[in-house]
Amino acid sequence: MFSTELVVQTFISGVMIGVLYALMALGITFIYSIMRMINWAMGEFYMIGSYLQYALVAFLLGPDLWWLAIPISAAGVFAFGLVVQWSLLKPIFRKPPEARDDYSTVVTLALLLLLRSLATGLAGPNQFSPGSNLPVVMVGPMPMAGARLAAFVFALVALALFYLLLRYSWYGLALRATSQSRVGVQTAGIDVLGVDRIAFGIGVALAGLAGALLAPVFLVYPTNGLITTVKGFEIVVIGGLGSIPGALIAGVLLGLIESFGAAFIDSAYQNIYGFALVLLILVLRPTGLFGERGREA
């Protein structure tokens, strides 16, 4: 039944899950904007972040220090991302430009299969959940699980830190410059391959952070990154590949579409509403709502 209270509850729920979706999409589009490649294994970095969160809470820190496990998990995924970029992706830029897309697609798809198989072999197909002693809290008129609210707050903090890094730090300036012209930053004496490594680490760390935050909500298992990867690419299509503001706005928009569709149409088709929006955007504006500007080199 339609009511003002239901609309408010649905809006709050949509915004909260949309911000968390945006973390995954932001990692995808950030890596693309710097390195000009798509990381098809993004969901597996999400999965690694969720497993790190579970392991830290279950075996080391305990549920009372769940909040400390979140930055540690993100840092672990960041470090792993640096290794992956250095060992597997850096050779992309020793190949002719026309071969880079094929190489990056093959490598990241192979990495996807490898990491998923390793997770299944080491942890089995079982589902886990990191403990949390957070109580149910009231957000406006809606009762909200403490873990979900905490994930939303941490996501907002992470997005704010990401903005400050890009806007006010030297690395942020180098990253923004590289996204505009790889040739230009090299003429200025910047190690563009080093910038690539940091960008890839930050991008996958955002996915790992999303995995750590959502581990208590969506559980931990080897294929838990699949749905979030699909959501991430839906957001990238809606917002525009390479557009960071587009990823944030499209993430919230997708969350709202799914929430309102589930509340007022049919919850059984919740995932369909996002695909319908993607198809609509592709018909009306193929480059996305905030299609990426052209850049040199």
Side-chain angles (χ1 to χ4, degrees):
M1 181 179 295
F2 179 85
S3 69
T4 302
E5 182 176 342
L6 179 58
V7 171
V8 173
Q9 291 178 351
T10 305
F11 179 81
I12 293 173
S13 178
V15 170
M16 293 178 73
I17 194 63
V19 168
L20 292 164
Y21 285 164
L23 280 179
M24 172 66 75
L26 186 61
I28 295 171
T29 202
F30 181 65
I31 290 173
Y32 177 82
S33 68
I34 304 296
M35 298 180 64
R36 218 48 167 187
M37 57 158 282
I38 295 176
N39 177 18
W40 296 100
M42 206 66 171
E44 278 45 59
F45 289 96
Y46 171 99
M47 177 264 293
I48 292 172
S50 68
Y51 270 108
L52 286 175
Q53 177 73 9
Y54 167 73
L56 288 168
V57 171
F59 302 113
L60 187 61
L61 299 176
D64 290 336
L65 293 176
W66 61 269
W67 55 271
L68 183 58
I70 291 173
I72 296 176
S73 299
V77 177
F78 174 80
F80 180 60
L82 296 183
V83 174
V84 168
Q85 196 281 335
W86 177 80
S87 60
L88 297 178
L89 300 177
K90 186 178 178 180
I92 288 176
F93 299 95
R94 299 194 183 103
K95 296 182 177 295
E98 61 271 13
R100 292 175 185 172
D101 288 343
D102 295 337
Y103 183 90
S104 62
T105 298
V106 170
V107 168
T108 54
L109 285 175
L111 184 63
L112 179 156
L113 297 174
L114 173 64
L115 294 175
R116 190 176 296 178
S117 298
L118 282 174
T120 303
L122 294 174
N126 306 307
Q127 294 184 339
F128 305 96
S129 177
S132 173
N133 54 7
L134 295 173
V136 175
V137 296
M138 295 299 297
V139 180
M142 182 174 65
M144 177 72 64
R148 187 180 288 262
L149 179 61
F152 173 69
V153 173
F154 266 90
L156 289 180
V157 171
L159 291 174
L161 292 175
F162 179 75
Y163 171 78
L164 293 174
L165 171 68
L166 287 185
R167 185 68 178 83
Y168 296 108
S169 71
W170 182 90
Y171 263 112
L173 179 62
L175 289 166
R176 286 185 284 126
T178 304
S179 71
Q180 293 299 313
S181 173
R182 297 179 66 85
V183 173
V185 297
Q186 291 181 79
T187 59
I190 295 174
D191 178 11
V192 70
L193 296 182
V195 172
D196 286 347
R197 191 172 307 120
I198 297 298
F200 188 83
I202 292 174
V204 298
L206 290 171
L209 177 64
L213 292 174
L214 291 173
V217 180
F218 295 151
L219 303 181
V220 180
Y221 51 96
T223 58
N224 67 349
L226 178 61
I227 295 298
T228 52
T229 300
V230 172
K231 302 293 184 187
F233 280 104
E234 286 180 5
I235 292 167
V236 167
V237 171
I238 295 168
L241 184 58
S243 172
I244 290 176
L248 299 177
I249 295 171
V252 175
L253 180 61
L254 179 63
L256 290 172
I257 291 291
E258 290 187 347
S259 293
F260 276 96
F264 295 104
I265 302 177
D266 192 334
S267 61
Y269 302 108
Q270 182 173 353
N271 292 324
I272 300 298
Y273 307 132
F275 280 114
L277 179 61
V278 168
L279 292 175
L280 180 63
I281 292 297
L282 288 175
V283 170
L284 298 178
R285 189 175 174 84
T287 58
L289 297 176
F290 301 87
E292 182 188 29
R293 295 179 299 172
R295 73 172 186 177
E296 302 174 13

